[in-house]
Each structure stands twice: as structure tokens, then as C-alpha cells.
Amino acid sequence: MKHIKVGDLMADDVVSVVPLTSFKEVAKLLAQHDISGLPVLDDEDRVVGVVSESDLLSRQAAGHPGAGATAAVPSGAEFTAAEIMSTPAVTVHAEESAPEAARLMTRSGVERLPVVDDEDRLVGIVTRRDLLGLFLRPDSEIRRRIIEDVLVSAMGIGSDAVTVHVVEGVVTLEGRLENRSQIAILAYLAEQLDGVVAVVSHVTAPVDGPVPAPLQEVTHGPSAEW
């Protein structure tokens, strides 16, 4: 089962800054493009950090690095992206799956991930909104994927052998198969489909039997859900 990749979701027109970009310019770019963070790149387009709205606010409140207790705190305009950014940057590669990116985003507590190549050079960016959109795939699309990709393509079963109902991502399966091993495989593959929240199986079978022929991989195109 192949999930949709980060490269299928990412935006390749990325707003970025360099380490010497000023606080005011970073804030201006965030406001202009209505984004919450952006990557900081070196001279070779490698991601060296990420600066976010929370980084701006934290730095402005804390003052310039190295300032003593009695030192005057400079205005935000005196900070640079290098002094504000969070580093090392949490990044992802284009070939990684959308679920992997979502888990990384959750673990790291970030809302966007710069997408980099094998040399850590920026190639795009993927946001929490991009990933969330995959959960919002219509139930009809999920149902179609289960019938076409799981039943027919992966398992070689007729499209009318099992009735598939999908309501808000919850899949209900009803029908009768040749053996019980097929029931477990069907439920497992359905659960792996992008966008499926849960699977309830009411499928029956007369007796246990051998596992069907090797499953073919279920491949999602750009419209696939996760």
C-alpha cells in the first residue's frame, strides 16, 4: 500500500529568508503572505533554521542574545533571522509519505515542514493545512478506493462481493468471502487507505482457507487520500 507522498502535496514556491534578514523584514513577509513561519537558507539554499511568529515574539520579549541583566534591550528591528530562528530545522524529504510527515509535525510541534533534497537544499514546503486536507476527502472517494484499489486490484475480488459504506471516514464492510483469511486482509488494507478513520467488518466466510495470491501494491495518484 503506497500512501501519497510529501512531494505530491508540497508547494514549491516557498517564501524564505537568509540569516542576515532583519526582524522587521521577517515580520513583514509573514504578514504579507499570511503564513506562520518560513525557512532560513544559507548561500547554497540549504535549510539552516526556521523562523516562526512565536520565535519573533519570544525573541522580542527576551531581548538580544548575550544581553546582561542591566543591558538595554534592542528593538526588534535589530534582530536578524539567525538570532531568531529555531535550529536545527525540522525537515522532510519529498519521497516520504504524508502520514510520516504528519507524525513528524505532531512530534515536533510545528505547523510546516521545509522539504529538502538529499543535500538539505530547499525544494518545497508542506503545511499542516496541506496534510489536514487529506483527511477531508469525500466518503465517496474513500469508498471508490476501497472497491477499486483494495477489492479489485489488490485482492482480485469482484467489486460486488462486498458492500462498502463510508460515513465520515468510518468504513463498514458487509458481504461474504471464500475464506476467513480474506476477511482479515480486507479489513487491514481498508484501514491503511488514506482518509479512513476506522473499519467495521460484518463480512463472513464459510471456512478458513489459504491466503490469496500475493497482494499487489495499491498505488494512489495525486488525488489519493490518507
Side-chain angles (χ1 to χ4, degrees), residues 71-219:
V73 177
S75 67
E78 296 181 48
F79 298 141
T80 65
E83 296 168 327
I84 302 166
M85 68 185 184
S86 297
T87 187
V90 181
T91 61
V92 68
H93 290 90
E95 64 271 17
E96 293 187 50
S97 73
E100 289 171 335
R103 286 191 289 269
L104 177 60
M105 209 175 272
T106 300
R107 288 197 306 267
S108 305
V110 297
E111 295 187 0
R112 59 188 57 238
L113 293 172
V115 185
V116 298
D117 62 16
D118 291 337
E119 297 183 3
D120 291 330
R121 292 176 299 197
L122 184 72
V123 296
I125 199 160
V126 64
T127 68
R128 191 181 296 268
R129 182 179 301 176
D130 296 328
L131 299 176
L132 180 61
L134 293 176
F135 281 119
L136 304 179
R137 293 293 178 177
D139 289 338
S140 59
E141 173 68 8
I142 296 174
R143 179 179 181 274
R144 183 176 68 83
R145 289 290 179 180
I146 291 174
I147 294 172
E148 295 180 2
D149 296 346
V150 175
L151 284 172
V152 178
S153 297
M155 298 185 67
I157 297 173
S159 60
D160 58 350
V162 174
T163 301
V164 181
H165 300 285
V166 184
V167 179
E168 296 184 352
V170 177
V171 177
T172 301
L173 305 171
E174 298 177 345
R176 186 174 178 85
L177 296 177
E178 293 181 0
N179 58 67
R180 293 175 186 173
S181 61
Q182 289 179 310
I183 298 175
I185 292 173
L186 172 59
Y188 172 78
L189 293 182
E191 287 174 349
Q192 302 309 303
L193 270 178
D194 300 330
V196 172
V197 175
V199 174
V200 179
S201 178
H202 298 303
V203 179
T204 61
V207 293
D208 284 326
V211 176
L215 299 176
Q216 300 176 6
E217 288 186 327
V218 178
T219 303

Side-chain angles (χ1 to χ4, degrees), residues 51-71:
V51 62
S52 66
E53 292 174 330
S54 59
D55 291 326
L56 295 180
L57 295 174
S58 297
R59 183 58 67 192
Q60 188 174 43
H64 195 281
T70 60

Side-chain angles (χ1 to χ4, degrees), residues 15-21 26 38-42 45-51 81-82 84-86 89 114 122:
V15 181
S16 62
V17 295
V18 298
L20 292 179
T21 303
V26 171
L38 43 77
V40 183
L41 310 182
D42 66 12
D45 288 337
R46 293 191 179 91
V47 179
V48 296
V50 173
V51 62
I84 302 166
M85 68 185 184
S86 297
L122 184 72

